[in-house]
Amino acid sequence: MTVQQKGRQTREITPPPRIIATAAIGGYKEKKSPLAADFDYIYDDIRAGCASFEKAEHEMQMKAANFALSRAGLKPEDIDILLAGDLLNQITVSGFTARQLAIPYLGIFAACSTFTQGLGLGALLLGGNAAGRALIVSGSHGCTSEKQFRFPNEYGSQKPPHSQYTATAAGAAILAASGGEIAVTALTIGKVVDLGVSDPFAFGAAMAPAVADSIAVHLQEMQRSAQDYDLIVTGDLGKVGREIAWELLQRRGINYDFDRFVDCGCLLYGQDSNLNAGASGCGCVASVSMGYLYHLLQQGKLRRILLAASGALMSPIANQQHESIPGISHAIVLERIDG
Amino acid sequence: MTVQQKGRQTREITPPPRIIATAAIGGYKEKKSPLAADFDYIYDDIRAGCASFEKAEHEMQMKAANFALSRAGLKPEDIDILLAGDLLNQITVSGFTARQLAIPYLGIFAACSTFTQGLGLGALLLGGNAAGRALIVSGSHGCTSEKQFRFPNEYGSQKPPHSQYTATAAGAAILAASGGEIAVTALTIGKVVDLGVSDPFAFGAAMAPAVADSIAVHLQEMQRSAQDYDLIVTGDLGKVGREIAWELLQRRGINYDFDRFVDCGCLLYGQDSNLNAGASGCGCVASVSMGYLYHLLQQGKLRRILLAASGALMSPIANQQHESIPGISHAIVLERIDG
């Protein structure tokens, strides 16, 4: 495999590393999602049988990792590098996953785009002969996120209509040089874009400019048109951020069918008006891309998609200190390769 | 450049990427350190002229990045990838640095070993042709850390003698294919090791087993003896953890001169008995390695060192839930290459 630099942010890998196994794990809200059938396992219990929400989040990461490993017929010791991250302070849940799997571990963080950062970085490490097989894991839990970033759910506080709900979900993927027909063929590493949104409930709006920027840079550096993709998938912009990103792309002269400009947060929670603008969280793009979208690629219903997840690089402390919200979007190309 | 896999955890890069510029920035405690003269800039003001400790931590990261860039005669747009991380929740300080520099950004986290994870990952990305130049930045602030992990300093709470003080410091390095005589020739990606220490003040002890493991794996996979290194440098085990790691290495049959088994935390704060077991924090290994140690390599007083920084992958929430502390250590080889 070789990595080719296409401009400053984009890299193409030939032959591309394959995603040889995936897993998508869901929680109590995912069960009611239109994508429920695409999850490998759904926990009925909000605590996933654990003593705390944080332990439940770890349990779900482990379930995703173990599903992917078992599907690939591999053991943890067959994996060279674990790339994992999550939303919790000091990404502790991922550290616990690394402890349990005992795989050489690189902790990563890009908020809700952590999973695409991991897939992209994994593809680069395989492409550069730094690893033979990489396991990428990420997830989130609605209750740990609300408690940490806003208020514990038990307080019953109201959220505005443009807010989103953190997915209680996890996703995993195993990358290898061969095996399986779905590949990571290229990626665009995001730059931080921050247009000054500081409302911590409006991170869809805060992230939209970064998403539009990464998509535009990607198309330019790959010398492709948006039409070269069956879908352009954003991570968790939600209903509000999706429309903003769409408008920003049009202003840059990038025209695309709005129906094919889909968002994992809208796909996962968008049909439930109680869940406001849709889903968010590391587990959202991880589970939707490694479940629903991966299945469509496997079935040949999609051939090539651009997955431009996004992250809001904020914390409650930063908000309290009147910082605006830096957005970032790491975009990867998932492609069906026959033969 | 090519990356060669030496066993599961170790990678060698030939020809090795060079560290073409570095910076070490310190704060109020660093001024009294025996290493003070090796810092490029020291802030007298505990807030570095900023309105909050968090903003001061960001200011110091930026100062480190800008020092390194200016020393290399480069602008942010000349850098392909920024690898940065810190101890603050959601590594927000690094996100702000990425926002200001506008360099394609990968957020990383390995607690106090974040800087060596960044240097190692940067070397792998250069080695695999994924980047031409990488900027690695990390830092920490004594007041943001105490407030976030323990108590605000203003409470005046007592710390036990085996505890450490987070460095108020930042370090930066720029990696490129050529230029300068100091290179990152190899690295060993750490596995999490956790022997059950749960005292949040005892992270030197908690991390020591991971450090011993990474050093032992490194020597075995590189087929080298400890004597092949002029120094084996740990990140911030402090006085207590250093002795434990030393004993664990001896039990594994690795004999080495205790005087050459040095620790950045002991070097930085170890002579001040008011600072207990020494320094810790992302800024400790970043500033000591890119200041003091880099200078010794430049002067030819050292030719090859193993820098095995370590991180305690803990959070207050994890501690409150009675989790023990997972330790990790990413080790890199810094080497003087003539010609």
Side-chain angles (χ1 to χ4, degrees):
Chain A
M1 277 186 258
T2 55
V3 178
Q4 197 187 344
Q5 297 179 34
K6 317 274 283 187
R8 189 180 184 205
Q9 293 177 241
T10 303
R11 307 288 180 264
E12 197 174 14
I13 305 141
T14 33
R18 309 296 174 108
I19 300 179
I20 62 167
T22 69
I25 307 298
Y28 57 109
K29 282 200 184 77
E30 284 62 25
K31 196 165 194 172
K32 299 179 200 157
S33 163
L35 307 188
D38 284 290
F39 281 84
D40 294 300
Y41 188 90
I42 288 189
Y43 288 91
D44 287 315
D45 175 16
I46 196 170
R47 283 196 180 79
C50 300
S52 73
F53 296 132
E54 288 77 11
K55 289 183 198 292
E57 190 175 329
H58 167 57
E59 160 74 20
M60 294 177 73
Q61 271 202 10
M62 282 303 301
K63 182 73 92 180
N66 284 330
F67 248 98
L69 285 167
S70 116
R71 201 162 266 160
L74 296 172
K75 292 180 178 162
E77 50 266 39
D78 299 320
I79 307 287
D80 296 325
I81 293 187
L82 168 68
L83 296 160
D86 58 79
L87 290 175
L88 291 201
N89 299 341
Q90 290 73 56
I91 60 168
T92 40
V93 166
S94 300
F96 297 150
T97 297
R99 174 172 69 188
Q100 204 160 335
L101 293 171
I103 299 171
Y105 165 57
L106 297 174
I108 55 172
F109 181 78
C112 305
S113 62
T114 298
F115 192 75
T116 59
Q117 175 171 322
L119 264 184
L121 193 50
L124 289 179
L125 292 173
L126 263 74
N129 192 40
R133 290 194 198 98
L135 171 63
I136 296 97
V137 185
S138 191
S140 54
H141 193 297
C143 299
T144 62
S145 273
E146 285 303 318
K147 174 174 136 183
Q148 180 181 278
F149 289 107
R150 290 163 290 264
F151 301 101
N153 284 327
E154 293 85 343
Y155 288 11
S157 64
Q158 296 289 307
K159 292 173 69 150
H162 62 275
S163 69
Q164 294 169 241
Y165 279 83
T166 306
T168 301
I174 298 174
L175 287 174
S178 62
E181 62 266 305
I182 316 301
V184 180
T185 53
L187 60 124
T188 298
I189 300 170
K191 289 192 305 282
V192 170
V193 180
D194 182 342
L195 298 190
V197 174
S198 60
D199 172 0
F201 286 109
F203 49 78
M207 299 186 296
V211 171
D213 188 69
S214 286
I215 293 171
V217 166
H218 174 81
L219 295 176
Q220 191 201 332
E221 293 188 337
M222 288 297 285
Q223 300 188 315
R224 284 185 183 162
S225 125
Q227 312 308 326
D228 291 330
Y229 293 95
D230 294 337
L231 292 179
I232 294 180
V233 187
T234 57
D236 46 4
L237 290 177
K239 293 172 191 169
V240 179
R242 179 180 169 225
E243 295 201 7
I244 298 172
W246 170 249
E247 189 180 326
L248 292 172
L249 283 174
Q250 285 189 308
R251 284 195 204 170
R252 287 183 183 232
I254 296 166
N255 294 305
Y256 196 63
D257 184 354
F258 189 65
D259 290 341
R260 291 193 291 147
F261 186 68
V262 301
D263 179 74
C264 294
C266 295
L267 290 168
L268 189 61
Y269 286 174
Q271 297 196 345
D272 185 342
S273 59
N274 289 322
L275 299 178
N276 297 344
S280 65
C282 293
C284 176
V285 68
S287 65
V288 173
S289 65
M290 293 301 104
Y292 174 66
L293 295 168
Y294 186 75
H295 297 155
L296 292 177
L297 285 159
Q298 278 190 315
Q299 293 155 14
K301 292 180 184 166
L302 295 173
R303 296 204 64 86
R304 183 199 276 163
I305 66 173
L306 182 63
L307 180 63
S310 57
L313 306 178
M314 64 180 187
S315 77
I317 288 264
N319 270 302
Q320 287 154 11
Q321 296 187 359
H322 311 294
E323 291 280 359
S324 54
I325 301 169
I328 197 161
S329 172
H330 300 297
I332 57 168
V333 180
L334 295 179
E335 204 162 338
R336 187 187 163 85
I337 312 255
D338 292 321
Chain B
M1 277 187 259
T2 55
V3 177
Q4 198 188 342
Q5 296 179 34
K6 316 275 282 186
R8 189 179 184 206
Q9 294 178 239
T10 303
R11 307 288 180 264
E12 196 174 17
I13 305 143
T14 32
R18 310 297 175 108
I19 300 179
I20 62 167
T22 69
I25 308 298
Y28 55 109
K29 282 200 183 78
E30 284 62 25
K31 196 166 193 172
K32 298 180 199 154
S33 162
L35 307 188
D38 284 289
F39 282 84
D40 294 300
Y41 188 90
I42 288 188
Y43 288 91
D44 286 316
D45 175 15
I46 195 170
R47 282 195 181 80
C50 300
S52 73
F53 296 132
E54 288 77 11
K55 289 182 198 294
E57 189 175 330
H58 167 57
E59 159 75 19
M60 294 177 73
Q61 271 202 10
M62 281 304 301
K63 182 74 94 182
N66 284 330
F67 247 99
L69 284 167
S70 114
R71 202 163 264 161
L74 297 172
K75 291 178 178 162
E77 51 267 39
D78 300 320
I79 306 288
D80 297 324
I81 293 187
L82 169 68
L83 296 160
D86 58 80
L87 289 175
L88 291 202
N89 298 341
Q90 290 74 55
I91 59 168
T92 40
V93 167
S94 300
F96 297 151
T97 298
R99 174 171 70 187
Q100 204 161 335
L101 293 171
I103 299 171
Y105 165 57
L106 297 174
I108 55 171
F109 182 78
C112 305
S113 61
T114 297
F115 192 74
T116 58
Q117 175 171 323
L119 263 184
L121 192 50
L124 290 178
L125 291 173
L126 262 74
N129 193 40
R133 291 194 197 99
L135 171 63
I136 296 96
V137 184
S138 191
S140 54
H141 194 297
C143 299
T144 63
S145 274
E146 285 302 317
K147 174 174 137 183
Q148 180 181 278
F149 288 107
R150 289 163 290 266
F151 301 100
N153 283 328
E154 294 85 341
Y155 289 11
S157 65
Q158 296 289 309
K159 292 173 69 149
H162 61 275
S163 68
Q164 295 169 241
Y165 279 85
T166 306
T168 300
I174 297 174
L175 287 175
S178 61
E181 62 267 304
I182 316 302
V184 179
T185 53
L187 59 125
T188 298
I189 300 169
K191 289 192 306 282
V192 169
V193 180
D194 182 341
L195 298 190
V197 174
S198 60
D199 171 0
F201 287 109
F203 49 78
M207 299 187 296
V211 171
D213 188 68
S214 286
I215 293 171
V217 166
H218 175 82
L219 295 176
Q220 191 200 332
E221 293 188 336
M222 288 296 287
Q223 299 187 315
R224 284 184 183 162
S225 124
Q227 312 308 326
D228 292 330
Y229 293 95
D230 294 337
L231 291 179
I232 294 180
V233 187
T234 57
D236 45 4
L237 291 176
K239 293 172 191 169
V240 178
R242 178 179 170 225
E243 294 200 7
I244 297 171
W246 170 250
E247 189 179 326
L248 291 172
L249 283 173
Q250 285 189 308
R251 285 197 204 169
R252 287 182 183 234
I254 295 166
N255 294 304
Y256 196 63
D257 184 354
F258 189 65
D259 290 340
R260 291 194 291 146
F261 185 68
V262 301
D263 178 75
C264 294
C266 295
L267 290 168
L268 189 62
Y269 286 174
Q271 297 196 343
D272 184 343
S273 59
N274 289 321
L275 298 177
N276 297 345
S280 65
C282 293
C284 175
V285 68
S287 65
V288 173
S289 65
M290 293 301 103
Y292 173 68
L293 295 168
Y294 187 75
H295 297 155
L296 291 178
L297 285 158
Q298 278 190 314
Q299 293 155 14
K301 291 179 184 166
L302 296 173
R303 296 205 63 87
R304 184 199 277 163
I305 66 172
L306 181 63
L307 180 63
S310 57
L313 306 178
M314 64 179 187
S315 77
I317 288 265
N319 269 302
Q320 286 155 12
Q321 295 186 0
H322 311 294
E323 291 280 357
S324 56
I325 300 170
I328 196 161
S329 172
H330 300 297
I332 58 168
V333 179
L334 294 179
E335 202 161 339
R336 187 187 163 86
I337 312 257
D338 292 322

